[in-house]
Each structure stands twice: as C-alpha cells, then as structure tokens.
Amino acid sequence: MRAARLIKLVLLLQSRPSMTAAELARQLEVSERTVARDVLALSEAGVPVYADRGRAGGYRLIGGYRTRLTGLGRTEAEALFLSGVPSALREMGLADAGSAARLKVAAALLPELSDAPTSAAQRFHLDAPGWWQEPETPELLPEIAAAVWDDRPLTVRYVRGDAEVERELEPYGLVLKAGVWYLAARVPGEFAGAGDYRVYRVDRFAAVASAAEGKAGAEVPAVAASTAGRERFVRDESFDLPGFWAERAQQFARSILREKVVLRLSESGARRLPYVTDRTAGREAVAAAGEPDAAGWVRVTLPVESLEVAFSQLLTLGPEAEVLEPAELRERFAEAAARAAALYQQ
C-alpha cells in the first residue's frame, strides 16, 4: 500500500510544478505528517524531492527528474477507458485504478500538454442518473464488477417478485442506464435456459459469490459448489454488449406497451405526441397516420403501457388531442374535461 502511495506522490509532483503538503495530503488521502514522512523516504531512496519553505512553499522535483514508472497495469488501462464516467468508476470500486492511470498518462505527456487532463475535465462531464432521481449504489456492485472484469462465474441469490431464486451466472457486462445498474449474463450449460443471455438488475441481487470466494469457504448460495470448481468461464468473443443491450432495451420498451388507444390529434398535438409518450411509439404512430381531415386533424393508433399511464400522459396535450377508443378512456377524459371546465367557469 505504501509503495503504491509513494509512486503516486512522485507522479503527482512530476505532473505539476509544485504542490503543497495540504494538496498532496488531499490527493493521497493521508495526513500532512504522512506526506512529510513519504517525502523523506523518497529522498533517502534517491528521488530528488525538494521542499520550499514559507507560506507559498511546497514540494517539487528538481533537476528535470522524470520517473519511468508510467507503464499502465491491466486494471489501470481498463479503468482509463472509463475515466469519462467518474461516478461509474467509483461505484464499481475502480476509482483508485482510474486515478493512477490518469496520473501515469499525465506524467508521460510533454510539458506543453500537461494541462490536457484538466482541460478535458473542465469541458466534459457525464451525469448518468436521470432528473429527480436519487442515485443509489447497489451494495454488491463492486463484487459483481470484479467478476465481470476477471471472467469469473458467479453464484447468486436474486430477488424476483416476493421470492429469492438461486442462479449460476457467467457475468458478461455491466450497463448503467439512467442511474440504474444492470448485469448482462449467460446461463451456463447445465442449467435451465442454458446458453441464454439475460439481463438482471444489480440492486435485486441479495447475495453473490465468485469462484474464488466459494473456494475460500465464504457464506454463499447453495449452488456455489458448482461455481467453486471453475476458476474462469470461457467468454464468447462474438458477444457484443452494446448491440445486445440495444436489442434487449428495444424489446423491453415494446413489451410494456400492452394496450392501444385511438386518437385524433391537431397539428400541434401530433407534433408534441412523441414528447409526452414513448418517443418511438409516438413517432411511429404519427408517421402511420392517414391524411388530415377538413379541420387538419389526424387519426392515430398509439401503443401505451396501460390506460392509466395513457391518461396521465395524454392529459398534458389538453385540447390538442381527442381520445376515440377505448370507450372507458374516452369517458374518463370527458369527465376530466367537464371538471376542468367547471373549475374555470367559477
């Protein structure tokens, strides 16, 4: 642990003209006294660290010293490709690896490019969760992420409805969608549904164990014995995580649109429909509409999740939409319109 901290300290000083003890302590997450001891250890090892005294003082490397300790390890290299998603790195337990990788890249840059990492960070930031959502990190995410990186099979307990089910899974990839983590995994050969790739919400895992944990005797699901005998699974290199997720996401979006409603829409209503309902379904419904009637209105058939959801969504279109079918939804809109009219007549 200390050796890694000493390397990080040297890389920090190499990437900047000088740093105060407080700045180094904050970056290294140690006390200023520990920074002083580490600097002394580096000096004794022959690293030319110089301490400037006074209020504007700090630590710096002298004599143009450049360390050769800039080679990226596998974990650091993988984390570097995710460095534009700092929240995801932190939640998967890879924040330290990402930080070390960025420092090594910064240390290898030419002096005139030393501000490139800061410049990029000031100009781009990805905020994954949607609005009005309180992001929560699933407790078991770091363990699942470690298994994904290392191609280790998992034995899990997964909450489905009101019950927990036991599964053995080959974890292929993680997806962060609107602040929610999902695991894409394959069911191994000897289990029901063998060979299928499935999607699981990470926050619904009650327990997980990798092969190494099973061997170590950790408390794991009953099926852990089958996982413990396999160090790693053989990954299907043809598996395309972005393509798989896009297909499954589209299937999911289609599967929840179980009802259909028939509408008349004004020109404004037709233009706004994709922004108040499922965007793809709304656009396709408008595109499939026939010619406008004499008043300029079009008739569309719209797939919806439920009549309750349709009511709340289409209500935002106000007088720009008329529900024709089904009759119960039309009656509900008529009642709502009458109540609204009564309120405004008072």
Side-chain angles (χ1 to χ4, degrees), residues 6-336:
L6 292 175
I7 292 172
K8 188 172 182 179
L9 193 156
V10 173
L11 292 172
L12 283 167
L13 293 177
Q14 185 171 312
S15 63
R16 307 181 191 183
S18 69
M19 294 184 70
T20 66
E23 290 172 334
L24 286 168
R26 184 168 59 253
Q27 290 283 343
L28 299 172
E29 298 181 345
V30 296
S31 67
E32 294 185 31
R33 181 172 296 182
T34 299
V35 169
R37 288 198 295 265
D38 286 350
V39 168
L40 179 60
L42 287 171
S43 296
E44 291 174 350
V47 178
V49 182
Y50 181 79
D52 291 315
R53 305 297 179 184
R55 292 182 59 186
Y59 296 101
R60 60 186 176 87
L61 294 172
I62 61 176
Y65 179 84
R66 307 283 294 181
T67 176
R68 295 180 180 273
L69 297 174
T70 53
L72 294 178
R74 169 172 288 277
T75 302
E76 295 167 348
E78 291 169 337
L80 185 60
F81 286 100
L82 293 172
S83 60
V85 196
S87 60
L89 277 176
R90 184 172 58 253
E91 292 177 8
M92 288 191 293
L94 293 172
D96 288 343
S99 174
R102 289 191 295 273
L103 279 171
K104 289 183 178 182
V105 171
L109 292 174
L110 295 173
E112 60 267 26
L113 299 177
S114 61
D115 66 335
T118 302
S119 176
Q122 289 173 343
R123 287 166 172 79
F124 176 76
H125 174 69
L126 177 63
D127 186 8
W131 288 107
W132 305 292
Q133 293 181 1
E134 189 67 31
E136 295 183 3
T137 303
E139 182 180 352
L140 298 175
L141 178 61
E143 288 85 351
I144 294 172
V148 169
W149 286 116
D150 209 23
D151 293 340
R152 293 188 181 276
L154 286 174
T155 53
V156 305
R157 287 202 302 269
Y158 185 75
V159 178
R160 190 171 64 187
D162 296 329
E164 287 187 4
V165 296
E166 294 184 351
R167 290 286 185 272
E168 179 179 349
L169 301 175
E170 295 176 347
Y172 266 67
L174 285 163
V175 175
L176 178 60
K177 170 73 171 179
V180 179
W181 285 95
Y182 297 89
L183 173 69
R186 184 169 65 177
V187 179
E190 63 270 24
F191 289 85
D196 290 347
Y197 292 98
R198 301 180 181 179
V199 176
Y200 301 85
R201 279 187 59 143
V202 174
D203 57 7
R204 292 181 182 170
F205 285 104
V208 300
S210 68
E213 290 170 332
K215 283 188 172 183
E219 185 177 347
V220 297
V223 296
S226 59
T227 298
R230 293 195 295 147
E231 289 291 336
R232 288 181 173 83
F233 64 86
V234 179
R235 173 177 285 267
D236 180 0
E237 297 300 333
S238 66
F239 177 76
D240 174 24
L241 179 60
F244 168 78
W245 177 257
E247 180 183 350
R248 287 303 174 92
Q250 186 178 38
Q251 289 176 359
F252 173 75
R254 298 282 185 181
S255 69
I256 65 173
L257 303 179
R258 302 183 181 92
E259 303 278 353
K260 289 186 178 181
V261 298
V262 180
L263 310 170
R264 282 183 72 241
L265 298 171
S266 68
E267 182 180 350
S268 174
R271 187 170 58 251
R272 292 166 51 193
L273 182 66
Y275 300 97
V276 301
T277 64
D278 178 87
R279 185 161 295 188
T280 301
R283 286 175 175 167
E284 291 179 353
V286 172
E291 293 296 321
D293 60 20
W297 288 52
V298 294
R299 182 185 178 107
V300 302
T301 299
L302 177 71
V304 295
E305 183 175 346
S306 67
L307 297 186
E308 183 67 32
V309 170
F311 177 76
S312 63
Q313 291 176 337
L314 298 174
L315 199 62
T316 62
L317 295 179
E320 306 303 324
E322 177 189 1
V323 175
L324 302 178
E325 299 175 13
E328 60 266 36
L329 185 60
R330 180 179 175 85
E331 291 171 3
R332 188 170 179 183
F333 270 91
E335 179 187 352

